[in-house]
Amino acid sequence: MHITARDLAALIPPGFTLGVATAAFQIEGALDEDGRGPAGWDVFSRKPGAIVEDHSPAVACDHYHRMPQDVALMKQLGVDSYRFSFAWPRIQPTGSGPANRAGLAFYDRLLDELLANGISPMATIYHWDTPLALDEAGGWMNRDTAYRLGEYAGILAEKFGDRVARWVTINEPATVSTNGYSLGLHSPGKELVLNAFPTVHHQLLGHGLAVQALRAANVPGEIGMTNVYSPMVPNSINPLDYISAGLMDLAQNRLYADPVLTGKYPDLIRAAKFFSAFDHPAEDMELISQPLDFYGLNYYMPTKVAVGPGAGAVPASMAEAMGSDLSAAGSGGTPFHVETWPEADITSYGWPVKPEYMGVALKEMAERYPNLPPVILTEGGASFEDIIVRDKSTNTRFIPDERRLKYLSDHLEAALRATAPGGDAESIDLRGYYVWSLLDNFEWSAGYNQPFGLLHVDFETQERTPKASYFWYQELIEERDLVNAAGAAIAQAAAPEVLDTEAPDDGVAPLGASA
Ligand code: BGC
């Protein structure tokens, strides 16, 4: 069972954002339209075997053509905010130089549509769709790509700065480095294993340059970035499992969070000889650690780690769901690997469902980073195979996705309790939660086989059908609005009636005045 929507709503603090998230490449389709240039992902996804069942992102959710309808579905859902990403190759078809006006026009329409429907836009600048021309010049192995990201952010700031409420510079650099450059599971399909480390620094530098461009343009919106975070749990009391979990924590969590939040790479990482790639100008660290208005956190699951050869952070079940046997990791992989949680419920990706670790993630973040800015959970969700139940008498369809609904409810509850007064992570100022995802979509190398949506998408007809989780989220938002309305009414009733706005001349000093 899970908490009722009403009880969950009562835990939500004032001003907390409830949203939904997507990313351009996963939903838009229309890859060759209106002057969009090719992305590295376009080419990668055409390689036989790169994507499960060779699914193509060419149409995806056809959101490029169905955007107003999708915004209407968000309006009906009642969300406060929508997190989407700008497609870099639509804005700059070759990754540098002047903007493509037709590409800008799509996001102009999207932003206007959102605002007209009372939905606050949160925009991700880079969600993995690197323009092909940049990939051909080395992608994130090339320091220049960071400068290109800064330039691209400047274009977005100037054009859309007036309407974007929250900016996420980059999304999950850890996934790009690990899946894209170490193991070859994602575009650009490089299997560099530990030699992929320059991609970490260059992405973080790109983040810093993007922040600089947004600040220089004086955008009124809040600025942050998003890292994925997974608490690392030793498989047993074997000390080598503990050391393995610690190393994995360094490589997947701290490597990306420390530079941004403390201005330093972890000492152990600097000490290891293969990290000579981190020889870089000292001023890079200042750019990377500029103050942020919020820190975005994607939490999906904890990771159980054991000593013994493997492929770093990628669980075998997940690689299988992407159609890979992780052979790239080979003997050059990591001396530790991800273990399963036999007792836990698992998603279609094989991810363990462990909502209690949401609190652990937040607690660890609070302990590690005393200067943490306000936190927004920019993604969370689960892929489960859905079944469609058809009511013949009314010819309506229903999707009883109880497991996804429970996943979302339990994780949001855990986050709210951990950050409430007296909670394990009470020092964290948690400002919002975005469900991944609004729509079933192109789940990167897993194609269309891992549905995360609140809305089911029939990829033949493009019909959207709300799942039970959609109705649950809608109810939660309605309950939250009722709690807010009741709070406002009570505050108003309790407010003293103002009879006279002039200070009485009674010789008594007003409160706060110094003697
Ligand atoms: C990414 C999304 C992805 C989701 C589920 C996150 O790593 O930001 O693009 O679809 O997780 O795998």
Side-chain angles (χ1 to χ4, degrees):
M1 264 312 287
H2 55 85
I3 188 171
T4 65
R6 176 171 298 180
D7 288 345
L8 184 55
L11 302 177
I12 297 176
F16 189 91
T17 304
L18 292 173
V20 283
T22 64
F25 194 75
Q26 296 179 266
I27 63 165
E28 286 180 359
L31 301 185
D32 297 319
E33 275 178 57
D34 294 336
R36 177 188 180 276
W41 263 99
D42 296 18
V43 175
F44 179 78
S45 62
R46 285 197 295 267
K47 279 193 211 150
I51 311 294
V52 161
E53 296 170 29
D54 291 331
H55 286 171
S56 161
V59 178
C61 306
D62 197 30
H63 172 76
Y64 194 73
H65 300 116
R66 291 163 195 267
M67 178 272 287
Q69 179 196 339
D70 289 339
V71 174
L73 286 162
M74 283 188 250
K75 164 88 174 164
Q76 213 174 304
L77 179 57
V79 281
D80 306 315
S81 175
Y82 172 47
R83 175 178 174 226
F84 66 96
S85 78
F86 290 109
W88 192 349
R90 264 189 222 293
I91 308 283
Q92 286 181 299
T94 58
S96 60
N100 165 33
R101 286 174 55 186
L104 293 174
F106 171 72
Y107 298 103
D108 245 334
R109 295 197 299 275
L110 169 64
L111 288 168
D112 289 348
E113 192 76 21
L114 289 170
L115 292 171
N117 284 285
I119 301 168
S120 173
M122 175 186 243
T124 307
I125 293 176
Y126 176 68
H127 200 129
W128 309 355
D129 47 357
T130 315
L132 179 63
L134 298 185
D135 269 350
E136 285 174 344
W140 288 111
M141 288 296 282
N142 183 349
R143 185 176 166 94
D144 184 61
T145 301
Y147 292 92
R148 301 285 65 79
L149 186 76
E151 179 187 72
Y152 159 55
I155 293 174
L156 298 178
E158 193 180 316
K159 179 72 186 161
F160 304 120
D162 57 337
R163 281 161 291 168
V164 172
R166 284 174 172 155
W167 296 88
V168 173
T169 54
I170 55 175
N171 177 71
E172 293 193 9
T175 310
V176 173
S177 290
T178 304
N179 289 1
Y181 287 86
S182 280
L183 301 174
L185 294 167
H186 279 183
S187 177
K190 302 277 184 234
E191 299 177 356
L192 302 172
V193 193
L194 294 179
N195 293 326
F197 276 97
T199 65
V200 178
H201 185 70
H202 295 152
Q203 286 186 87
L204 295 179
L205 178 61
H207 151 73
L209 291 163
V211 175
Q212 192 178 47
L214 295 168
R215 297 269 187 235
N218 258 321
V219 295
E222 297 173 1
I223 301 170
M225 65 96 66
T226 285
N227 270 322
V228 62
Y229 190 95
S230 181
M232 299 297 170
V233 185
N235 181 45
S236 76
I237 55 164
N238 178 347
L240 291 178
D241 283 351
Y242 271 77
I243 292 172
S244 300
L247 288 173
M248 186 89 101
D249 184 35
L250 276 174
Q252 289 299 314
N253 294 322
R254 302 197 87 129
L255 179 57
Y256 300 88
D258 281 18
V260 173
L261 296 170
T262 72
K264 262 182 72 196
Y265 283 104
D267 288 340
L268 248 176
I269 295 231
R270 298 176 63 83
K273 68 174 183 334
F274 44 77
F275 292 102
S276 57
F278 288 148
D279 288 339
H280 49 71
E283 46 294 2
D284 283 7
M285 297 316 289
E286 272 161 49
L287 278 170
I288 291 172
S289 60
Q290 287 166 86
L292 298 177
D293 303 317
F294 68 88
Y295 186 79
L297 207 63
N298 290 352
Y299 172 85
Y300 284 93
M301 60 179 156
T303 304
K304 194 187 275 186
V305 192
V307 70
V314 179
S317 59
M318 188 180 172
E320 198 186 317
M322 295 179 180
S324 165
D325 58 4
L326 288 174
S327 52
S331 54
T334 50
F336 44 79
H337 61 270
V338 177
E339 272 293 337
T340 54
W341 304 68
E343 82 291 359
D345 188 16
I346 53 165
T347 72
S348 305
Y349 247 152
W351 297 354
V353 178
K354 290 266 172 196
E356 60 276 28
Y357 280 92
M358 165 70 92
V360 175
L362 291 164
K363 179 172 184 265
E364 288 180 358
M365 288 297 296
E367 285 170 356
R368 285 177 189 184
Y369 308 111
N371 298 326
L372 195 59
V375 171
I376 297 174
L377 291 160
T378 38
E379 278 179 38
S383 61
F384 289 112
E385 218 174 296
D386 291 310
I387 50 158
I388 303 179
V389 181
R390 194 180 296 274
D391 180 337
K392 281 202 189 123
S393 60
T394 57
N395 197 25
T396 49
R397 308 196 306 166
F398 182 67
I399 302 176
D401 64 336
E402 281 300 320
R403 293 169 81 193
R404 181 177 295 103
L405 184 167
K406 179 169 161 50
Y407 178 101
L408 295 170
S409 177
D410 288 354
H411 282 75
L412 178 55
E413 181 186 355
L416 292 168
R417 290 199 191 280
T419 51
D424 280 351
E426 64 175 338
S427 65
I428 289 191
D429 178 1
L430 189 68
R431 298 267 173 98
Y433 186 75
Y434 287 74
V435 172
W436 184 270
S437 179
L438 172 69
L439 300 158
D440 290 348
N441 59 43
F442 181 76
E443 176 53 28
W444 307 109
S445 306
Y448 298 101
N449 287 359
Q450 300 292 331
F452 279 85
L454 296 176
L455 288 162
H456 173 270
V457 177
D458 178 329
F459 290 101
E460 296 284 313
T461 63
Q462 290 296 337
E463 193 182 348
R464 278 86 162 123
T465 307
K467 303 180 190 176
S469 55
Y470 175 98
F471 294 117
W472 163 80
Y473 206 38
Q474 188 179 48
E475 185 190 349
L476 176 69
I477 296 167
E478 282 167 10
E479 290 291 350
R480 188 274 319 259
D481 291 347
L482 287 175
V483 173
N484 281 353
I490 291 168
Q492 203 179 4
E497 202 180 337
V498 178
L499 297 174
D500 185 354
T501 52
E502 281 189 22
D505 187 14
D506 54 6
V508 178
L511 273 182
S514 52

